Amino acid sequence: MCKILKIIVEMFLPHMNHLTLEQTFFSQVLPKTVRLFDDMMYELTSQARELSSQNLEIQSTLRNILQTMVQLLGALTGCVQHVCATQESVILENIHSLPSSVLHVIKSTFVHCKNSESVYSGRLHLVADLLQALFKEAYSLQKQLMELLDMVCMNPLIDEHDDILNMVVVIHSLLDICSVISSMDHAFHANTWKFIIKQSLKHQSVIKSQLKHKDIITSLCEDILFSFHSCLQLAEQMIQSDAQDNADYRLFQKTLKLCRFFANSLLHYTKEFLPFLSDSCCTLHQLYLQIYSKFPPSLYAAGISKAQQEEIASTFLVTLSPLISQLLTFQPFVDVVLDSKLELPCELQLPQCLLLVVIMDELSSRPEDVQALWCTESQVSEATARVSLLKAIFSSFEQCSGELSLPVHLQGVKSKGQAEVAVTLYQHVCIHLCTFIASLHPSLFPELDTALLNAVLSANMITSLLAMDAWCFLARYGTAELCAHHVTIMAHLIKSCPGECYQLTNLSILLRRLFFFMAPRQQVEFIQKFPPKETENLLLWQYISFQALPAELRKQTALEVTRAGTAWCMKWLGSNRTLEELESLNTVLSALLAVCNSSGEALDLGQQTAIKEVGSQLSILLNVKLVIGQPYVQQTLSLLLPLLGFFIQTLDPQLVSQVITLQTSLLKLEPPDHVRLAFLDFLSSLGKLFIPQTIQDRILPSLSSVFASLLADRNWLLEQHSLEAFTQFAEGTTHEEIVPQCLSSEETKKKVVSFLEKTGFVDETTAARLERIKQEKGTFWEPFAKVTQEETKMSSLQPCVKRARHELPSEDEYRSTLQAATEALEAIELLLQKSPPPDWLLMEMETLQERIDKLKRQNCSGRKQLSSTFPQPLALHRNWPLSDAQALPLRRAVNLCTAQGSPPASQVSSHFHW
């Protein structure tokens, strides 16, 4: 058959009418030729495993088959060459059997050659020469076929359906060949792609709606990633070598050029067929993320030299960068990038953030409609929604915790007359976000306000800080009226907060920062709108730095805050001092502390004396039991201690002694961290104080004990603050003999010495630190991502199963249990009336009393609104979890025990004493 075909091609084909070749020759002969080729390929593959140097018969058979296949490919090449030589332009319908048959044979040949190592099982050398000849013949045949197809003409005005389908089949057949030869011959692979792109564009007008664009884009993206990864592998191999002229470097350059070629091909194809790429946007998005996940500054980047980084960036990444600009106005791409349910693995989170930054840069010069497309939320379908770009940038930034903590560095922004310097990820995002805000169309300001406020209220500290920085830029960039408007909004939001929460903390920080940007006239208007002389406005003034005000206005405002605050405190001290007023008391103290910290020099002697007097009287009222049992009182103490520290040099030594004694007692009961931090504020100020000889014996031992306890604390934050406070105290105090007494152990001594000498740090290499941060990021993020993905998957299949509710005890259960306890206590009371108690009874009763005290503290700490729970005067309130009627039997029983020779009732009293 092969010889017959060769004779026909050489002897008869030149004499046939080229218009009837399809009917008279190609449609009759080529299908049989393809079947023959497939049969030979099957026989070759099935017998190849029996090949050996000893089995000459099989060896001869296989070599004959390969030789025949080479001849058959040669005959097909003759067919293609004849058509090329006899026609200036080709109508595909006249030869449509030829391209499909040739492409089928070429693909089968390349697949066999690619799999030859496994097919011939180590005996490849016996047929290697013929396989090489077979590959070369197939290579030559494809090259000739592409020359023929380049001559094909298709009239866009004539709807030739068969011609269109034939051309589409040809292009996708070549696409299949590309996937086979991608790792065999880079130049041939690139040329095949070049031809695919060229033919797609040449016949674009007639085949654009028939092409499988998603397949083409997917294959092109896969080839880009494969070539890019090859580049990185070669660059890693070269990192140990300084030579730039070795074989690896030349191969690296060739592979990098291949990356650039593929990038250019993708850009060209995307530009021309963009309206048909809706279902390819996810692939393009992933391509961008995958590339930048393997390139610095990603934590997961390949370890390559700076020179190779710059070469890849300038050759490949620069070529690919216009892709985002092309896709910027394409809504399906917007929907993919801003998908509200987008969940990315750790290594793709930084690339997503950097992509959003690039998009912001592109949008800066785009018209309003394009900015609106990206900056407004939209419900794409019932299942998916699109968030705004501004919301997405904050969300993506929040996920880059590892990159922020390392931190990674990026290329900086060039300034006039200054060298470019690397910037951290935080700086990079902040700079570009502010640039985008400056270019944002005014109609999109509501979306900007919403995104900034949501980010400020975020539970993530670094995200909230980024939003605050952007907001401060907006205040400086905008008008004075805009800044004043924003400050007023913050003030109203703060006043509407129901209580202490992280959102209130974030808003107060932003208010404090924005206040510095207000013009003096707007500051006066703010003071008139929220006058500090009204106590209800001290809630705001506790967060404002008086340094933001001009000197005269600062003095006047500080005076009004001081007068209002001290007057309210004196009024409270002269009243019943109820718990419901503790929150207001703490607000007033916080405002007075703000005055002292930011405007202390503006206070005259009388104002200082008034504040000191208020602080002194309040401090006298505090006791250990009250502080431990009441969170609001803990906050009061935390405010009083730095307030007293401000006046430490003029405080009564007896009051200082009392405060230190209180701290000593509280530390034994392990108070909350914020209380211990307040201790340190006060202790550090004691370095300025000279303690009279008469009370040194009372103060210095307690002082050394407090320092020793705090320095030994294992909490890293407390440990750091303790070292700073102790250093400040030791440098300022005149009582040098106490310093060594504070260092109660060798471990504490070493800790202090290391702190002073700036030694003792963990020596962590860059690689070890990088690996640790990657592990931490995976630990913190992946469980959440997996759960979210699983929930999303489940929600798409069936309704969510309701979580089993944790049954809480009902009120009736509480009442019945409490009634049983009351009846038991009444029974004990009757027994005591009949006979003297046994010796052990008092001890058991005290144990029972301690358990009730413990329940009381738990009950107290579990309540958010203490003021509404305890409206009675504090000095009379017992704060029991029992009603007075229910508690009466226990009280009687305790009193009867003590009346018969037991300790006084004060030891089991539950009263609070101010």
Side-chain angles (χ1 to χ4, degrees):
M1 176 68 181
C2 183
K3 292 180 179 180
I4 296 174
L5 178 63
K6 186 176 181 181
I7 293 172
I8 294 174
V9 170
E10 292 178 354
M11 304 297 294
F12 297 99
L13 191 59
H15 305 288
M16 293 183 181
N17 186 342
H18 69 274
L19 296 177
T20 60
L21 280 177
E22 175 65 26
Q23 292 79 12
T24 59
F25 179 64
F26 292 150
S27 62
Q28 303 297 322
V29 175
L30 292 182
K32 296 177 183 178
T33 304
V34 170
R35 284 196 296 272
L36 173 64
F37 187 85
D38 287 343
D39 291 341
M40 288 190 291
M41 186 64 72
Y42 175 77
E43 187 175 356
L44 191 65
T45 305
S46 59
Q47 296 189 37
R49 294 191 179 278
E50 300 177 19
L51 177 64
S52 67
S53 55
Q54 291 79 23
N55 194 337
L56 299 179
E57 182 180 353
I58 291 293
Q59 183 177 340
S60 176
T61 300
L62 295 182
R63 289 185 65 84
N64 287 337
I65 293 174
L66 286 170
Q67 187 65 52
T68 303
M69 294 171 77
V70 171
Q71 294 173 0
L72 190 148
L73 289 174
L76 291 175
T77 302
C79 291
V80 176
Q81 287 175 338
H82 170 76
V83 176
C84 290
T86 57
Q87 302 182 43
E88 293 184 1
S89 63
V90 176
I91 298 176
L92 197 56
E93 180 63 24
N94 294 338
I95 60 163
H96 70 85
S97 296
L98 180 61
S100 58
S101 301
V102 169
L103 288 170
H104 175 85
V105 170
I106 291 172
K107 181 183 176 182
S108 297
T109 302
F110 287 148
V111 169
H112 184 76
C113 293
K114 184 177 181 179
N115 299 331
S116 57
E117 285 283 355
S118 59
V119 169
Y120 293 99
S121 302
R123 292 173 288 277
L124 182 61
H125 63 281
L126 297 175
V127 291
D129 56 331
L130 290 175
L131 282 174
Q132 188 175 7
L134 184 67
F135 179 86
K136 288 181 177 180
E137 199 63 46
Y139 178 93
S140 178
L141 175 58
Q142 180 176 323
K143 189 175 179 181
Q144 194 67 51
L145 178 64
M146 291 192 297
E147 184 179 333
L148 167 63
L149 292 171
D150 207 25
M151 300 167 61
V152 170
C153 292
M154 301 179 69
N155 190 343
L157 301 178
I158 302 175
D159 185 13
E160 293 290 347
H161 185 69
D162 291 339
D163 265 11
I164 293 172
L165 290 181
N166 288 333
M167 179 54 71
V168 170
V169 169
V170 166
I171 290 175
H172 284 285
S173 297
L174 286 169
L175 187 66
D176 293 338
I177 291 174
C178 270
S179 63
V180 176
I181 64 174
S182 59
S183 58
M184 299 174 68
D185 188 312
H186 293 322
F188 187 37
H189 180 214
N191 285 332
T192 305
W193 262 116
K194 186 176 181 180
F195 182 80
I196 291 173
I197 302 297
K198 180 180 179 182
Q199 294 304 309
S200 299
L201 298 179
K202 179 181 177 181
H203 307 295
Q204 176 184 1
S205 59
V206 293
I207 67 173
K208 59 186 178 183
S209 58
Q210 300 295 328
L211 281 174
K212 297 178 182 177
H213 300 285
K214 185 176 181 180
D215 292 347
I216 296 174
I217 291 292
T218 300
S219 297
L220 198 49
C221 290
E222 288 174 352
D223 285 341
I224 289 174
L225 284 175
F226 180 80
S227 301
F228 179 64
H229 290 156
S230 299
C231 265
L232 296 178
Q233 290 173 0
L234 290 167
E236 283 184 293
Q237 293 172 14
M238 294 187 299
I239 199 167
Q240 302 299 329
S241 173
D242 295 331
Q244 294 292 301
D245 56 348
N246 54 32
D248 279 345
Y249 182 67
R250 289 194 296 273
L251 183 56
F252 167 80
Q253 287 186 312
K254 288 181 180 179
T255 310
L256 189 55
K257 289 178 181 177
L258 191 62
C259 289
R260 183 176 61 187
F261 164 77
F262 285 136
N264 276 320
S265 299
L266 179 65
L267 289 173
H268 204 172
Y269 193 90
T270 304
K271 179 181 178 181
E272 298 299 330
F273 293 101
L274 185 60
F276 301 92
L277 302 185
S278 298
D279 54 355
S280 298
C281 289
C282 186
T283 303
L284 294 169
H285 179 218
Q286 286 295 316
L287 170 70
Y288 189 96
L289 300 186
Q290 291 288 347
I291 287 173
Y292 281 92
S293 71
K294 300 301 181 184
F295 195 75
S298 171
L299 299 180
Y300 307 87
I304 60 178
S305 68
K306 188 70 175 177
Q308 264 69 59
Q309 288 181 34
E310 293 174 355
E311 198 166 352
I312 292 173
S314 61
T315 304
F316 169 55
L317 298 182
V318 167
T319 305
L320 189 65
S321 58
L323 177 65
I324 303 304
S325 180
Q326 289 182 3
L327 297 169
L328 203 64
T329 58
F330 193 42
Q331 183 172 330
F333 182 71
V334 182
D335 296 338
V336 167
V337 175
L338 301 181
D339 186 359
S340 62
K341 296 182 179 180
L342 182 65
E343 296 292 346
L344 297 171
C346 291
E347 63 271 16
L348 300 186
Q349 288 163 359
L350 174 65
Q352 171 72 1
C353 183
L354 297 179
L355 170 61
L356 296 176
V357 170
V358 169
I359 290 170
M360 284 196 303
D361 292 345
E362 290 285 343
L363 289 174
S364 297
S365 58
R366 295 300 178 106
E368 177 188 357
D369 60 328
V370 181
Q371 289 189 352
L373 176 64
W374 282 91
C375 293
T376 53
E377 297 186 355
S378 175
Q379 189 70 36
V380 180
S381 65
E382 292 185 3
T384 57
R386 184 182 76 218
V387 301
S388 74
L389 173 64
L390 291 160
K391 181 178 180 180
I393 193 72
F394 285 114
S395 175
S396 179
F397 177 79
E398 182 176 323
Q399 294 170 10
C400 299
S401 56
E403 291 83 359
L404 288 164
S405 62
L406 188 60
V408 298
H409 287 82
L410 296 98
Q411 185 176 5
V413 179
K414 291 183 178 179
S415 301
K416 292 182 179 179
Q418 295 182 356
E420 183 178 297
V421 294
V423 296
T424 64
L425 175 62
Y426 184 94
Q427 293 170 318
H428 178 77
V429 175
C430 188
I431 291 169
H432 290 267
L433 176 59
C434 292
T435 304
F436 178 59
I437 289 173
S439 69
L440 198 63
H441 194 273
S443 65
L444 298 172
F445 280 2
E447 282 73 18
L448 173 63
D449 291 344
T450 301
L452 287 178
L453 182 57
N454 285 335
V456 166
L457 298 177
S458 170
N460 185 279
M461 181 189 68
I462 198 72
T463 304
S464 181
L465 182 59
L466 176 65
M468 291 181 199
D469 284 343
W471 208 318
C472 288
F473 167 80
L474 182 60
R476 296 185 66 184
Y477 184 79
T479 63
E481 288 74 18
L482 178 64
C483 179
H485 176 63
H486 285 166
V487 169
T488 302
I489 290 175
M490 293 302 111
H492 285 298
L493 286 173
I494 288 173
K495 293 190 74 172
S496 66
C497 279
E500 289 292 333
C501 54
Y502 67 83
Q503 292 94 337
L504 175 59
T505 302
N506 296 349
L507 289 172
S508 64
I509 294 172
L510 181 57
L511 173 66
R512 180 184 179 91
R513 294 181 63 182
L514 290 178
F515 202 79
F516 276 93
F517 301 124
M518 292 182 74
R521 183 169 65 85
Q522 275 75 29
Q523 288 180 338
V524 172
E525 292 175 358
F526 181 87
I527 293 172
Q528 293 170 350
K529 193 177 296 183
F530 303 100
K533 60 185 176 183
E534 295 179 10
T535 309
E536 63 183 32
N537 291 325
L538 294 181
L539 175 66
L540 294 176
W541 288 99
Q542 65 177 318
Y543 302 123
I544 294 174
S545 172
F546 292 82
Q547 293 293 330
L549 297 167
E552 191 59 36
L553 192 58
R554 182 192 319 156
K555 185 175 182 180
Q556 176 188 343
T557 309
L559 174 62
E560 291 183 7
V561 171
T562 303
R563 284 177 178 173
T566 53
W568 193 95
C569 290
M570 296 305 295
K571 180 182 177 182
W572 185 82
L573 285 166
S575 66
N576 290 330
R577 304 193 288 270
T578 59
L579 272 172
E580 64 183 359
E581 295 176 323
L582 269 183
E583 185 174 3
S584 298
L585 173 65
N586 290 337
T587 299
V588 171
L589 290 176
S590 180
L592 292 175
L593 185 59
V595 171
C596 293
N597 286 335
S598 62
S599 187
E601 75 285 351
L603 297 176
D604 59 32
L605 185 59
Q607 293 165 0
Q608 293 183 22
T609 303
I611 296 175
K612 182 178 68 173
E613 182 64 24
V614 165
S616 300
Q617 291 191 39
L618 288 172
S619 301
I620 294 172
L621 299 178
L622 298 177
N623 61 65
V624 175
K625 195 170 187 179
L626 189 63
V627 174
I628 288 297
Q630 300 289 350
Y632 273 126
V633 181
Q634 293 169 6
Q635 186 180 358
T636 303
L637 176 63
S638 299
L639 293 167
L640 278 175
L641 289 176
L643 194 62
L644 293 175
F646 189 80
F647 303 102
I648 192 66
Q649 292 177 316
T650 57
L651 279 185
D652 181 3
Q654 295 294 338
L655 179 61
V656 175
S657 175
Q658 181 180 336
V659 172
I660 295 175
T661 302
L662 175 64
Q663 291 183 0
T664 306
S665 303
L666 286 172
L667 282 174
K668 296 176 182 178
L669 300 177
E670 298 184 357
D673 290 346
H674 69 275
V675 176
R676 285 184 280 180
L677 286 170
F679 289 178
L680 293 168
D681 287 336
F682 181 77
L683 293 174
S684 62
S685 67
L686 291 177
K688 307 172 187 176
L689 179 66
F690 175 76
I691 303 172
Q693 185 71 35
T694 54
I695 61 170
Q696 284 186 10
D697 292 342
R698 278 188 291 164
I699 293 181
L700 295 184
S702 297
L703 183 58
S704 62
S705 173
V706 173
F707 262 126
S709 176
L710 291 170
L711 286 169
D713 200 293
R714 295 294 181 183
N715 182 305
W716 68 268
L717 183 61
L718 280 167
E719 179 184 49
Q720 179 67 21
H721 281 271
S722 298
L723 290 167
E724 292 174 0
F726 176 72
T727 302
Q728 186 176 343
F729 168 79
E731 290 174 348
T733 186
T734 56
H735 304 282
E736 298 179 356
E737 68 278 6
I738 193 178
V739 174
Q741 297 173 18
C742 299
L743 309 178
S744 58
S745 66
E746 285 299 320
E747 182 181 358
T748 302
K749 291 178 184 177
K750 291 179 181 178
K751 191 188 300 184
V752 172
V753 171
S754 295
F755 176 78
L756 294 174
E757 297 179 351
K758 302 294 187 290
T759 59
F761 301 109
V762 177
D763 188 15
E764 189 177 34
T765 63
T766 302
R769 176 175 169 79
L770 180 62
E771 191 59 35
R772 174 176 59 80
I773 287 177
K774 285 162 63 175
Q775 291 176 0
E776 289 173 356
K777 183 173 181 179
T779 301
F780 292 139
W781 173 252
E782 288 292 359
F784 168 76
K786 288 178 181 177
V787 169
T788 306
Q789 290 168 0
E790 186 63 27
E791 288 175 349
T792 304
K793 182 179 178 182
M794 291 295 293
S795 64
S796 63
L797 298 176
Q798 60 185 11
C800 294
V801 180
K802 289 185 177 180
R803 183 178 60 182
R805 186 166 65 90
H806 210 45
E807 293 294 337
L808 299 175
S810 65
E811 186 176 346
D812 290 340
E813 290 179 86
Y814 274 113
R815 291 186 182 280
S816 61
T817 304
L818 200 56
Q819 184 61 35
T822 303
E823 292 173 355
L825 291 172
E826 289 175 346
I828 293 176
E829 183 181 5
L830 291 174
L831 291 174
L832 288 171
Q833 292 174 354
K834 294 178 181 179
S835 62
D839 296 337
W840 51 265
L841 182 60
L842 178 60
M843 185 178 299
E844 293 295 328
M845 296 295 289
E846 289 178 346
T847 302
L848 183 59
Q849 179 66 54
E850 291 174 0
R851 294 185 65 178
I852 291 177
D853 287 343
K854 183 178 179 181
L855 285 173
K856 173 192 67 179
R857 289 194 295 270
Q858 291 174 346
N859 184 41
C860 172
S861 62
R863 300 174 187 267
K864 294 181 180 178
Q865 297 293 336
L866 210 59
S867 58
S868 61
T869 309
F870 305 112
Q872 299 93 339
L874 187 61
L876 301 177
H877 186 63
R878 293 177 173 82
N879 190 25
W880 283 48
L882 313 176
S883 68
D884 287 342
Q886 293 165 331
L888 184 60
L890 177 59
R891 232 176 269 125
R892 287 176 179 171
V894 172
N895 291 336
L896 282 172
C897 286
T898 56
Q900 301 184 33
S902 304
S906 60
Q907 292 188 9
V908 289
S909 172
S910 62
H911 289 218
F912 291 136
H913 297 288
W914 283 93

